Amino acid sequence: MVSATRLDALVIGAGFSGLYQLHCLRDRLGLTVKVLEAAPELGGTWYWNRYPGARCDSESHSYCYFFSRELLEEWEWSERYPGPPEILRYLNHVADRFDLRRDIRFGTRVVAARYDEAANRWSVETESGERYLATYLVAAVGCLSAASIPDIPGLEDFAGRWVHTGEWPREGVDFRGKRVGQIGTGSTGIQAAPVIAQSAAHLTVFQRTAQYSVPARNQPLSEAFRRYVRSHHEEIREVCRSTPNGHPFRIAERKVSDVTAAEREAIYEAAWEKGGLQFRATFRDLVLDKAANDTAAEFIKAKIREIVRDPETARALADIDHPYAAKRPPIDTDYFETFNRDNVALVDLRADPVERITPSGIRTRSREHPLDIIVFATGFDAMTGPLLRLGIRGRGGLALAEAWRAGPSTYLGLQVPGFPNLFTVTGPGSPSVLTNMPIAIEQHVEWITGCIGYMRRNGVACCEAEPAAAAGWDEQVNEAANKTVLALARHSWYFGANIPGKPRVFMPYAGGLARYRAICDDVAARGYAGFVMA
Ligand SMILES: Cc1cc2nc3c(=O)[nH]c(=O)nc-3n(C[C@H](O)[C@H](O)[C@H](O)COP(=O)(O)OP(=O)(O)OC[C@H]3O[C@@H](n4cnc5c(N)ncnc54)[C@H](O)[C@@H]3O)c2cc1C
C-alpha cells in the first residue's frame, strides 16, 4: 500500500477559494497544508472556462482579494470586466506573491474522502492512488466546476466535434468555415454566441429558455478610474462587504412605486446605457416584488424587440417565462444584435424540441440542422455537484450523497452534520453564487480559519454541525428565497432543475451577504453556537 502523506489540513481546489485558504491556514495558523487540484494549473473557473467571449460579469476592481493592502496596491486591472487571461495572471501573481505554489499538487483529482472516527481524521484518495491523512478537510471545489452535458440521444454518433464551455480546450477551437450549433443560452451562451458568430460560417443557437440580458459595456479602464480605485480601496471594500450581493455599488433606496412611469423608464434607460449588473440595483424592490419586477422585465423585453429585426426571432427571444434576475442575470456584448447577422439562426426549442443528435447534426421535430461543431453552453451541476463528486463519507461511513438524497442540508453552508472537521467554501446554503464571489469567498475562508484557530487554541479536536442547527438553517435558506422573486423560477439551476433527478431545493442563501456575515460572526462570538466542539 502507498504510504500516506500526513497533514494538519488538506484543501481541495486551487481557485480563488483554495489559494486563500492555503495562505490562511499555512501562513496565519502555521499548519501543514497541501492543496490538491485536478487541473494542471491554478485558477479554477478561469482555467476551465476559456470559451470565446468568456468574461467576468463582476467589475474588475471588485473581483479580487481585499485581504492584503499591498496586493491591492500593486495590482491594476485593464478593463471594466476582466477576461480569463487577466484573471489567471492575477491569480498567478497572488500565488507567487504568497509563495503558494510549493504546497499545491496539480493534476491531482480527489476521488474519495473518508472520515476515520477512531483517529478523528480524514483519509483522502486521489485518482492515481495517492493517500493523504488530514485533521481538517476543506472542500474549495467551487460551485460551478462540475460541467453538465445534457443527455440527448445520439451524441456518441455525432461525426463532428463537440465541446463544453466549462472544459474548453486550451488550444482553442477553430470555428472558421464551420457550421456551429450552440445549445444553451444562459450567461455563458450569451457571452459565447456573438464571438463564435464572428468566425463561424454559420451559427445556430438552440434556445430552451429565453433570457433577459443587459449590455455589459466593457471598456478599457480610464486613467481617472484607475486613480479612483488606487485611492479608494477601503471604500470599495466597505461597499462590497455591506451590500447584499457583494458588488461595488449600492442598491437604490427607492421603490418602483416611488417614481412616475416616465421617471422609471428614464432610470432604466440610464442603467441600460451604463451597462452591467447595476441594472438590478435601480430599485430596491426589483427582486422582492413581482409587480415591481414586471416593469424591469417589460423594459428589457421591449429592448429585445427593438434590437432584433426579424419579428419571429425577436418574439422567441423576448418570450421570457421568469421574472428578471430570478435566474442568474446575464450581461452581454451584442448578444441580441447577433441575431441580425445573416449567418446566425435561432431555434426555439419550446416550439421545435430536439429529438436527437445525428451523425451530421441536430434533429429537431421540424428538421435536421447540419453541423460540424456542437458547443454545449449547458452549465453545471451547480453547488452540490462538485462536492458529491468527491466521494465523501462521514461518520459511520455515511455517504454525502445519501445525507443529501432529499437535497443539500448544511449549517451556514459551511458544514454538514455527520461530517466532522469538513468545511465547505461557498457551500449550498451560503450566499455564494448570488454574490460577487471573491467577497463571499474571503468571508468563508476567514471564518473557517477563525474556527480552526479557535479549535487549536481551546484543545477542540472535532467540530461538527448539530443536526438541529442545520435543519434550522435550511429553513432560513428557504424562507429567504421565498421572500424574493427567485423562488418563482423553479426551473433555474439555483433549484438544481437543470440536472435530471436532482432534488428541487433552492440552494444558495438569498438573505444577502452582509446579513449572512453578521449571522456567521454572531455564531462564532457565541462560541460556535450550533456546532458541537468536542
Ligand atoms: C463562466 C463563469 C463565469 C463566472 N462569472 C462570475 C462573475 O462574473 N462574478 C463572480 O463573482 N463569479 C463568477 N463566476 C463564479 C466563479 O466560479 C467564482 O467567482 C470563483 O472563481 C470561484 O472560485 P472557487 O475557488 O471557489 O472555485 P473554482 O474557481 O471553481 O475552483 C475550484 C477548483 O476545484 C477543483 N476541483 C474540483 N473538484 C476537484 C476534485 N475532485 N479534485 C481536485 N480538484 C478539484 C477544480 O478543478 C477547480 O480548479 C463565474 C463562473 C463561471 C463558470
Side-chain angles (χ1 to χ4, degrees):
M1 191 168 194
V2 196
S3 72
T5 304
R6 287 168 186 268
L7 301 162
D8 293 323
L10 184 74
V11 177
I12 311 172
F16 267 92
S17 300
L19 294 176
Y20 186 37
Q21 191 67 77
L22 167 60
H23 174 57
C24 286
L25 294 178
R26 187 191 68 183
D27 304 331
R28 292 189 191 155
L29 296 189
L31 307 189
T32 55
V33 190
K34 290 279 177 227
V35 176
L36 304 183
E37 168 55 60
E41 287 172 24
L42 54 79
T45 288
W46 307 103
Y47 169 81
W48 295 106
N49 290 266
R50 305 187 198 201
Y51 56 85
R55 200 167 277 287
C56 193
D57 291 344
S58 297
E59 303 202 23
S60 56
H61 64 293
S62 65
Y63 193 75
C64 56
Y65 297 113
F66 281 85
F67 69 84
S68 158
R69 186 161 187 92
E70 295 76 21
L71 179 60
L72 282 166
E73 283 172 1
E74 67 202 17
W75 186 264
E76 275 209 346
W77 297 99
S78 67
E79 293 179 271
R80 183 173 177 191
Y81 308 97
E86 193 169 18
I87 302 174
L88 290 174
R89 276 200 302 281
Y90 171 73
L91 289 175
N92 275 285
H93 169 73
V94 172
D96 291 341
R97 196 182 196 294
F98 297 100
D99 191 18
L100 300 178
R101 227 178 290 271
R102 67 183 155 95
D103 286 310
I104 308 175
R105 264 187 79 85
F106 294 105
T108 305
R109 182 174 291 281
V110 170
V111 292
R114 286 174 175 272
Y115 176 66
D116 175 347
E117 279 181 65
N120 181 38
R121 72 182 171 208
W122 284 89
S123 169
V124 173
E125 221 174 278
T126 71
E127 207 167 31
S128 60
E130 291 169 324
R131 274 182 72 226
Y132 293 80
L133 300 174
T135 308
Y136 317 104
L137 179 61
V138 182
V141 289
C143 299
L144 305 171
S145 63
S148 152
I149 293 163
D151 190 15
I152 303 174
L155 180 58
E156 62 288 355
D157 303 329
F158 182 54
R161 182 176 186 194
W162 64 266
V163 275
H164 188 287
T165 50
E167 291 173 353
W168 201 255
R170 294 174 81 191
E171 67 283 5
V173 178
D174 188 356
F175 291 108
R176 280 173 303 178
K178 299 285 196 288
R179 297 162 303 175
V180 182
Q182 177 185 303
I183 301 183
T185 55
S187 296
T188 286
I190 280 177
Q191 289 183 335
V195 185
I196 295 174
Q198 283 166 22
S199 61
H202 190 270
L203 171 67
T204 308
V205 177
F206 295 88
Q207 171 190 277
R208 189 178 58 179
T209 309
Q211 298 276 7
Y212 303 97
S213 184
V214 169
R217 310 231 188 264
N218 187 37
Q219 58 193 334
L221 292 178
S222 66
E223 184 42 42
F225 188 77
R226 290 178 200 220
R227 225 180 4 256
Y228 159 77
V229 172
R230 275 199 297 273
S231 53
H232 290 82
H233 291 307
E234 280 306 316
E235 290 90 328
I236 295 166
R237 175 174 183 265
E238 194 37 46
V239 175
C240 290
R241 284 166 61 103
S242 59
T243 52
N245 303 102
H247 285 287
F249 48 82
R250 295 202 187 278
I251 295 173
E253 292 284 315
R254 63 185 168 230
K255 290 161 77 172
V256 166
S257 56
D258 293 340
V259 300
T260 65
E263 285 165 343
R264 185 186 71 216
E265 292 304 292
I267 289 166
Y268 286 146
E269 195 62 52
W272 180 269
E273 279 313 308
K274 189 165 190 196
L277 293 170
Q278 298 189 33
F279 192 91
R280 192 175 43 174
T282 43
F283 294 98
R284 78 173 156 89
D285 52 349
L286 275 197
V287 294
L288 301 174
D289 177 43
K290 173 73 170 54
N293 189 286
D294 285 345
T295 64
E298 274 317 311
F299 178 88
I300 300 175
K301 288 177 185 178
K303 284 286 184 197
I304 299 171
R305 288 189 284 262
E306 195 182 301
I307 295 168
V308 180
R309 286 198 289 268
D310 175 61
E312 187 45 35
T313 305
R315 191 204 55 73
L317 286 167
D319 186 13
I320 306 172
D321 64 0
H322 53 276
Y324 167 64
K327 292 182 129 202
R328 189 174 189 275
I331 59 174
D332 70 277
T333 301
D334 294 339
Y335 177 63
F336 297 115
E337 289 82 351
T338 293
F339 292 94
N340 292 334
R341 294 177 67 109
D342 292 339
N343 69 334
V344 176
L346 180 76
V347 175
D348 181 359
L349 296 180
R350 285 166 301 181
D352 189 12
V354 169
E355 287 191 336
R356 64 177 298 114
I357 295 173
T358 67
S360 55
I362 293 179
R363 191 164 74 221
T364 57
R365 189 189 291 157
S366 75
R367 58 169 282 221
E368 170 106 12
H369 302 268
L371 300 170
D372 304 305
I373 301 175
I374 299 176
V375 174
F376 288 101
T378 44
F380 303 90
D381 182 351
M383 303 202 75
T384 52
L387 292 167
L388 292 173
R389 290 183 193 186
L390 293 174
I392 295 173
R393 287 185 179 272
R395 254 184 222 293
L398 176 68
L400 184 63
E402 187 54 30
W404 283 1
R405 203 148 44 96
S409 168
T410 69
Y411 184 35
L412 302 171
L414 283 159
Q415 263 218 352
V416 185
F419 299 81
N421 293 354
L422 166 67
F423 298 91
T424 51
V425 184
T426 65
S430 74
S432 56
V433 292
L434 301 178
T435 69
N436 173 34
M437 290 197 70
I439 308 296
I441 287 169
E442 273 194 351
Q443 185 268 340
H444 254 200
V445 167
E446 285 163 9
W447 193 95
I448 292 166
T449 307
C451 179
I452 293 176
Y454 172 92
M455 290 170 71
R456 296 182 78 82
R457 284 194 308 280
N458 292 282
V460 174
C462 183
C463 164
E464 183 177 353
E466 290 171 10
W473 184 247
D474 295 341
E475 239 170 72
Q476 288 197 51
V477 171
N478 252 321
E479 276 169 23
N482 287 334
K483 285 183 186 152
T484 71
V485 296
L486 278 71
L488 302 178
R490 286 189 63 81
H491 56 313
S492 75
W493 60 255
Y494 297 149
F495 275 99
N498 60 327
I499 304 296
K502 192 165 168 168
R504 294 276 181 111
V505 172
F506 191 86
M507 294 182 286
Y509 174 67
L513 187 54
R515 180 143 177 261
Y516 174 80
R517 180 190 303 278
I519 295 170
C520 290
D521 287 350
D522 176 61
V523 163
R526 289 188 290 120
Y528 295 89
F531 291 93
V532 179
M533 290 286 198

